[in-house]
Amino acid sequence: MFHVITGLMALYVIWRLVWRLRWPASVKWALGIVVLFSCEYHLVTRTYFGSMASPELPAAVLMVLGGAFGAVVLAACLLLILDLVGAIAYLFSKPAGRALLTRLAPRASIGIAALLLSAVGVWQAVRVPDVRSIEIELAQLPAELDGFRLVQLTDLHASRLLQRPWMEAVVGKTNALAPDLTVITGDLLDGTVAARRNDVEPLRALRAKLGVYAIPGNHEYYAQYQQWLAHLNSLGLRLLLNEHVTITRGNASFVLAGITDSVAARFGQPLPDVNQALAGVAPETTVVLLSHRPPGAEDNARAGADLQLSGHTHGGQVLGLHWLTQLANDGYVSGLYQVDGMQLYVSNGTGLWNGFPLRLGKPSEITLITLRAAGKGSANR
């Protein structure tokens, strides 16, 4: 379905923009082929250069291919808006509507704007993220834990696009925050252990006073899931697979729990089970739950979670297109939400999948979360 949708977008751009250019037919045919390939290059890379999740191509090639793909996606969306406005205008004024539907100038402008925006979007996607600091108040958090510093990383997506130097920079920024606890909420990598071993090695250097914990996202299952579990544990990451641990500072504590990802069903692996993860936890205990995907938050709230930390959405990546991501994730896409007495924080992601390396208006982040006891602070977006 992905390739059908992208192919239709390419054909739409060819129809509504490329074929209207006042260029020789041979040039328009060549440009049309480039547009179509830009939208279907994932078929080529998954067949000859690794997999859909992890094409093994140089970073520069992935940025060019991803940028071209992004430009076509942006152009298709902008052209559709222009055509819809033109069709509505035509109902009230045929000359005005006809101008919007047929004039070349606005369409050429859209093509140029899409190329420029895509170039900026690729740069935003591959840069080392800034730190985003927020405070979250938890009603049951012991007063002794007020000010607890927790860093969330998510969707690192180590790949040929985001390689070891990028990961080293992320680890360095994270450690510089001197967190009490660091968590990674899934999608750490793309590819096999052999392909990504060097790129994830910097994670060994992550440091937090009370430990570094992680859960799998959907991308961990796409290649050598069991081998990755063993390798990530060897890097010093404590994986929480439908289980919990008690985090203690001084005489106070809270529970940190983690669940697996729903894509596990396709690979014969344990499905996410929040009840199993919280088995034996007393109702009055503060629970911070790690769940890669935000959907299911209502069930997690009923199970006893006070705060859910998620990723997966990448914040929608492009302002405007994020509405589609929001629809696909029960309305959750970025930031802090109140869900049946539980708070849900959805990070924009630290990295992103190399198949759509664009960010516009939805910046990546290393999230520093300061936990506040009731009456000690306020939750902020």
Side-chain angles (χ1 to χ4, degrees):
M1 182 58 71
F2 175 82
H3 303 296
V4 172
I5 293 171
T6 57
L8 290 173
M9 284 193 294
L11 293 175
Y12 184 66
V13 171
I14 293 169
W15 173 45
R16 299 301 291 157
L17 172 57
V18 174
W19 212 246
R20 295 173 179 272
L21 296 171
R22 299 189 185 98
W23 294 348
S26 59
V27 175
K28 291 192 285 189
W29 273 106
L31 182 55
I33 291 170
V34 170
V35 168
L36 187 59
F37 176 78
S38 297
C39 277
E40 298 297 347
Y41 82 89
H42 302 89
L43 277 173
V44 177
T45 56
R46 81 174 191 182
T47 303
Y48 300 106
F49 301 100
S51 66
M52 182 81 169
S54 179
E56 300 300 329
L57 290 168
V61 174
L62 291 174
M63 282 188 272
V64 170
L65 291 174
F69 174 55
V72 177
V73 171
L74 292 173
C77 293
L78 293 172
L79 286 168
L80 179 60
I81 293 171
L82 179 63
D83 284 344
L84 289 173
V85 171
I88 294 171
Y90 189 83
L91 298 175
F92 300 94
S93 170
K94 289 184 178 180
R98 190 177 294 112
L100 288 171
L101 290 169
T102 61
R103 286 186 61 194
L104 176 60
R107 295 175 188 280
S109 299
I110 282 175
I112 295 169
L115 287 169
L116 293 174
L117 286 171
S118 185
V120 172
V122 171
W123 175 75
Q124 289 284 347
V126 301
R127 65 189 289 271
V128 177
D130 294 327
V131 175
R132 181 179 185 182
S133 299
I134 62 170
E135 293 187 352
I136 299 178
E137 183 178 291
L138 298 177
Q140 297 190 129
L141 187 73
E144 298 90 335
L145 294 179
D146 181 69
F148 190 98
R149 291 163 62 85
L150 183 157
V151 170
Q152 179 193 9
L153 305 175
T154 191
D155 299 276
L156 293 162
H157 286 283
S159 65
R160 290 292 295 274
L161 180 69
L162 301 176
Q163 299 180 58
R164 180 169 184 151
W166 181 89
M167 193 72 73
E168 288 175 337
V170 168
V171 169
K173 271 195 168 185
T174 301
N175 288 345
L177 297 172
D180 294 299
L181 185 71
T182 294
V183 300
I184 309 177
T185 49
D187 280 5
L188 289 81
L189 50 96
D190 286 310
T192 64
V193 175
R196 295 285 84 78
R197 185 186 300 272
N198 185 56
D199 297 319
V200 301
E201 179 62 25
L203 295 177
R204 189 188 300 276
L206 277 173
R207 296 288 180 268
K209 299 180 183 72
L210 300 175
V212 180
Y213 294 83
I215 58 169
N218 51 305
H219 279 243
E220 272 71 52
Y221 293 85
Y222 297 152
Q224 301 181 336
Y225 175 70
Q226 291 295 342
Q227 293 95 317
W228 271 120
L229 293 186
H231 188 70
L232 292 173
N233 273 311
S234 76
L235 295 177
L237 306 181
R238 170 71 159 83
L239 288 164
L240 297 175
L241 309 173
N242 296 330
E243 56 190 314
H244 71 266
V245 293
T246 300
I247 304 297
T248 302
R249 189 179 74 177
N251 296 319
S253 64
F254 67 91
V255 159
L256 178 71
I259 56 176
T260 58
D261 188 78
S262 58
V263 80
R266 289 165 47 186
F267 300 91
Q269 298 296 328
L271 291 170
D273 189 335
V274 67
N275 293 315
Q276 178 183 332
L278 298 182
V281 176
E284 67 274 10
T285 303
T286 297
V287 174
V288 176
L289 175 69
L290 310 181
S291 173
H292 178 62
R293 302 176 194 244
E298 291 82 1
D299 293 335
N300 297 334
R302 285 191 291 270
D306 298 285
L307 170 63
Q308 175 179 322
L309 301 179
S310 296
H312 184 63
T313 66
H314 304 171
Q317 295 189 208
V318 176
L319 191 65
L321 294 182
H322 76 283
W323 291 321
L324 298 176
T325 307
Q326 188 169 336
L327 287 173
N329 287 275
D330 289 356
Y332 309 121
V333 65
S334 175
L336 192 63
Y337 301 86
Q338 305 294 325
V339 184
D340 295 341
M342 180 190 78
Q343 299 194 71
L344 164 65
Y345 183 75
V346 184
S347 168
N348 281 356
T350 312
L352 78 181
W353 174 52
N354 55 70
F356 188 51
L358 260 71
R359 284 190 182 275
L360 290 168
K362 292 291 182 176
S364 54
E365 63 184 75
I366 296 168
T367 318
L368 174 61
I369 301 171
T370 302
L371 300 182
R372 293 296 183 187
K376 299 288 186 179
S378 60
N380 301 301
R381 282 187 182 273

